[in-house]
Amino acid sequence: MALVIAGERSGVGKTTVTLTLLASLRRRGLSVQSFKVGPDYIDPMFHGYVTGRACRNLDAVLTSEDYVQKCFAAHSPNCEYSLVEGVMGLFDGVKAVENQEESVIKTDFASTAHVARILDLPVVLVIDCSRLSGSVAAIAHGYCTYDSRIKIAGVVLNRVGSDRHLSLLKDALAALQLPILGVLRRQDNITIPDRHLGLVPTAELPELDTVIERLADLGDTYFDWQKLLPLLKSPHSSTPHTPHPTPNIKIAIARDRAFNFYYQDNLDLLQNLGAELVFWSPLEDAELPPDIQGMYFGGGFPEVYAQRLAANTNARQTVKTAILSGMPTIAECGGLMYLCEQIIDFEDKSWSMVGILPTSAVMGGRLTLGYRRAVALQNNLLIPAGTNIYGHEFHRSSLSVNPQSPLFQTYRYDCDENMGTEGWTSPSNLHASYIHLHWGQSPEIPQKFLKQCLKKTIPKTLYTSA
């Protein structure tokens, strides 16, 4: 069946509850596949750290309803248990036309509720009880009755203050006959630090194992596993395993503390199309891996590690030489920033980067966030001119100089509000953009990328240091 963990709003503790459940399951020696609703990269890192397997994003905007179903069906049966962490509040989504003929507009497209409906999964509602007692029943009742297609299997009461507080909450919920599946007290000793783009990634948290162990203790003690385990049981199917073809293209994937925002499905698609993924670190490695035919720089936090990236002059020079020599290269968000002349950090300090793009990435307080409809303004490395694609922006930097021949004209996803032009396609073997793309619904994107990589094999001497 599997289970969806939803919040009554953002910030109620969905991720804490999810990690508590995952940690407790893994401590029992059980295999579990996790999923995350929405475009987020960081929460899935924590899932994967606990479960030992890649979390999968379920996002109907970046892909489609059909792809969400296929992704869940492909990966859930591989484990004994499955768990889906929601996004924001249960019904928080974007506006979309659900029925073209009747022009029925729904505002919860790509929400947790939307994903729960299309996967036909029950929901556990996490409620922040820190500032309420009897009102918890009104909240729970509203969520249970708002959409009859959503089955609320029970609630988890988070941030409960005392035994007396818990007694008041239980008394209020008794009339609803809604199972209380877990209770978490106010645990000041269980915190995961955050910064300007959300939680600090797993690789930067040396005490994370201790936190996970503490969460597992809570899960073992304060959750009703007799009721939860049947709900978490993965559906079974006969989905065959498709072996990867023999690799014939080497792609260098930048992956370290500065670059770690990748959708696992994108990496899988590259492998399924015959690519060998060679991971390397622009922070630590002086050279690119040998004999590669393409490069992929994901997002991440280059601004946090700008000084170290700048100090690795060999890596910066080899990347620049490879791109100028014609190597097909994808750079998303943080990757784009790395290819700029400079990153100017929050303290207004300037750090030299690769220098392919004649602009600087300047950190600021303004957050650029949201789904985008992007229209390609010219033929480029990944898509032909005129193509509509859907992506997501999430960054606090801006460019000092905008491209003269931009890659995209961008719009908000749910309306025609013009968000301006962006993205770089010069040199022609480069795709550099702030917009994160999920290729699940668009396999032609990695196909075209790899086709270009096959055409251009760069001699090793052109991009390695002496």
Side-chain angles (χ1 to χ4, degrees):
M1 182 180 292
L3 194 60
V4 178
I5 304 299
E8 29 100 3
R9 53 190 164 85
S10 293
V12 300
K14 290 188 304 295
T15 300
T16 298
V17 170
T18 299
L19 294 178
T20 298
L21 292 169
L22 294 176
S24 190
L25 286 167
R26 289 297 295 141
R27 175 181 281 180
R28 295 160 184 249
L30 302 172
S31 62
V32 55
Q33 174 65 57
S34 71
F35 300 85
K36 171 64 181 176
V37 178
D40 181 46
Y41 289 99
I42 299 178
D43 286 354
M45 292 183 197
F46 285 87
H47 290 207
Y49 187 92
V50 175
T51 66
R53 64 176 60 234
C55 174
R56 305 287 168 163
N57 289 75
L58 304 175
D59 193 308
V61 172
L62 298 185
T63 59
S64 68
E65 291 180 319
D66 182 61
Y67 184 83
V68 167
Q69 293 172 323
K70 288 180 178 178
C71 180
F72 183 80
H75 298 289
S76 187
N78 297 331
C79 290
E80 298 167 90
Y81 297 93
S82 296
L83 187 62
V84 180
E85 180 185 351
V87 61
M88 301 177 66
L90 176 57
F91 297 102
D92 295 331
V94 296
K95 184 173 67 175
V97 178
E98 188 172 82
N99 187 314
Q100 294 287 348
E101 294 181 359
E102 301 177 10
S103 296
V104 176
I105 296 177
K106 297 293 185 181
T107 59
D108 69 347
F109 190 84
S111 68
T112 305
H114 181 208
V115 170
R117 288 197 304 266
I118 62 180
L119 296 180
D120 193 24
L121 298 180
V123 171
V124 169
L125 184 68
V126 180
I127 302 177
D128 179 358
C129 302
S130 59
R131 292 178 176 85
L132 54 85
S133 57
S135 297
V136 70
I139 294 172
H141 177 71
Y143 278 85
C144 288
T145 58
Y146 180 76
D147 186 341
S148 61
R149 296 170 295 177
I150 301 297
K151 178 187 176 183
I152 306 293
V155 296
V156 170
L157 307 180
N158 194 24
R159 298 170 187 151
V160 176
S162 65
D163 291 343
R164 172 60 178 163
H165 187 198
L166 179 58
S167 178
L168 292 172
L169 296 168
K170 286 183 174 179
D171 289 345
L173 289 167
L176 299 182
Q177 297 184 325
L178 187 64
I180 298 174
L181 300 175
V183 176
L184 292 178
R185 304 294 181 119
R186 295 173 189 167
Q187 301 291 336
D188 294 335
N189 61 327
I190 300 181
T191 57
I192 299 174
D194 59 8
R195 59 183 177 216
H196 56 282
L197 291 183
L199 295 178
V200 174
T202 55
E204 301 180 45
L205 300 174
E207 303 299 322
L208 184 56
D209 286 340
T210 301
V211 173
I212 298 302
E213 284 299 309
R214 179 69 179 125
L215 289 172
D217 290 341
L218 293 177
D220 292 347
T221 307
Y222 297 114
F223 281 78
D224 189 338
W225 288 101
Q226 186 174 357
K227 293 177 181 176
L228 278 168
L229 283 177
L231 294 171
L232 289 161
K233 194 71 175 177
S234 290
H236 294 288
S237 71
S238 57
T239 304
H241 172 69
T242 304
H244 297 316
T246 302
N248 60 359
I249 308 171
K250 281 189 175 182
I251 305 299
I253 310 291
R255 189 164 72 177
D256 54 22
R257 292 186 177 191
F259 304 99
N260 45 40
F261 289 5
Y262 296 96
Y263 294 123
Q264 183 62 40
D265 289 13
N266 285 5
L267 301 181
D268 288 350
L269 274 167
L270 289 172
Q271 290 181 306
N272 292 338
L273 291 168
E276 177 185 350
L277 308 185
V278 185
F279 296 101
W280 75 290
S281 171
L283 284 171
E284 305 291 344
D285 297 330
E287 297 181 351
L288 287 165
D291 304 321
I292 60 169
Q293 295 158 273
M295 294 188 293
Y296 185 5
F297 294 88
F301 293 98
E303 67 276 15
V304 175
Y305 295 96
Q307 183 174 4
R308 287 179 59 188
L309 289 169
N312 193 349
T313 55
N314 282 347
R316 292 191 288 113
Q317 185 57 49
T318 55
V319 168
K320 183 174 185 178
T321 302
I323 294 174
L324 292 178
S325 298
M327 182 172 291
T329 302
I330 299 171
E332 287 186 344
C333 200
L336 174 149
M337 295 167 65
Y338 181 58
L339 299 188
C340 291
E341 292 178 342
Q342 299 171 320
I343 289 179
I344 301 174
D345 66 18
F346 286 112
E347 298 178 351
D348 207 31
K349 295 180 179 178
S350 178
W351 307 100
S352 296
M353 293 293 122
V354 172
I356 283 290
L357 305 179
T359 186
S360 296
V362 183
M363 301 306 300
R366 179 176 176 269
L367 176 62
T368 300
L369 169 68
Y371 290 114
R372 299 287 182 261
R373 177 172 67 88
V375 181
L377 296 176
Q378 53 188 301
N379 291 326
N380 59 82
L381 177 68
L382 300 185
I383 55 177
T387 302
N388 277 271
I389 61 171
Y390 297 94
H392 188 264
E393 281 192 89
F394 190 46
H395 55 92
R396 289 191 185 273
S397 68
S398 60
L399 300 182
S400 60
V401 176
N402 292 319
Q404 293 184 349
S405 299
L407 170 59
F408 292 127
Q409 178 72 56
T410 65
Y411 305 87
R412 290 194 187 277
Y413 169 77
D414 55 358
C415 66
D416 289 330
E417 181 181 348
N418 191 328
M419 299 298 292
T421 58
E422 76 94 50
W424 299 74
T425 62
S426 180
S428 60
N429 53 297
L430 174 65
H431 172 104
S433 170
Y434 269 121
I435 297 177
H436 295 281
L437 300 178
H438 191 300
W439 303 333
Q441 192 64 21
S442 306
E444 66 276 6
I445 291 177
Q447 287 172 352
K448 185 174 181 182
F449 173 59
L450 294 181
K451 185 177 180 180
Q452 296 302 312
C453 293
L454 275 175
K455 291 181 179 179
K456 189 72 175 182
T457 301
I458 310 299
K460 184 176 186 295
T461 54
L462 287 180
Y463 58 87
T464 57
S465 59

